[in-house]
Amino acid sequence: MEIFSKELKDTDVRVKLSFPTHCLEHLDFAGSNSVDLRVKDSFGELRVIRCWKRKNGDHDKPVLSSGWLKFVGDYGLRVGDKVVLLREDDHSLGSQFRIEARRKIALLGSEDWGEVTRATNY
């Protein structure tokens, strides 16, 4: 189940990733302002990415911080790429979510989203 997808902006690739407030219903903060998400990446590796609830007026705004920029760097993400967070339990890995990175590709005059491989594999 897709929790959110977002085309990345400058702040998303340099500092932190904010995403829609309605996505908070899929996260268990257990009374805290932050939670460490156990996330499986496209290569099946476990990543821990911290999600904070940041006050934005009268509502909380979720933000991915610690661990997020490592993911950005490992996958060579840039402005205009897309990130997708999905709910997917993997009991053997101990993850509750899967994260994907996508980039627009043009092929034979058609544009679509393709999966981004890790930058460290080049």
Side-chain angles (χ1 to χ4, degrees):
M1 174 178 73
E2 183 175 302
I3 295 174
F4 75 86
S5 66
K6 180 180 181 183
E7 281 192 52
L8 301 177
K9 297 180 167 84
D10 186 58
T11 300
D12 300 325
V13 297
R14 289 187 313 103
V15 184
K16 61 186 178 256
L17 174 75
S18 62
F19 55 96
T21 301
H22 70 83
C23 299
L24 287 170
E25 68 187 61
H26 300 284
L27 308 176
D28 182 9
F29 285 85
S32 179
N33 284 331
S34 69
V35 61
D36 287 340
L37 304 179
R38 298 175 60 77
V39 178
K40 180 170 71 172
D41 69 12
S42 297
F43 287 86
E45 294 180 8
L46 180 67
R47 293 175 176 269
V48 177
I49 301 177
R50 179 159 294 154
C51 180
W52 288 92
K53 287 190 291 185
R54 178 177 57 112
K55 275 291 187 199
N56 187 6
D58 59 351
H59 65 277
D60 292 325
K61 180 76 174 162
V63 174
L64 297 182
S65 59
S66 300
W68 166 248
L69 290 180
K70 178 159 179 29
F71 178 76
V72 169
D74 287 351
Y75 281 78
L77 298 181
R78 55 189 186 230
V79 173
D81 289 344
K82 183 187 283 188
V83 67
V84 181
L85 185 69
L86 303 120
R87 177 71 192 201
E88 182 182 286
D89 290 314
D90 183 331
H91 298 291
S92 62
L93 191 60
S95 65
Q96 301 160 317
F97 303 95
R98 182 165 46 97
I99 193 165
E100 297 176 352
R102 298 179 184 167
R103 180 167 291 145
K104 280 187 184 174
I105 54 172
L107 185 62
L108 301 173
S110 179
E111 210 172 69
D112 203 356
W113 292 99
E115 189 171 350
V116 177
T117 58
R118 287 187 288 202
T120 54
N121 286 348
Y122 297 128

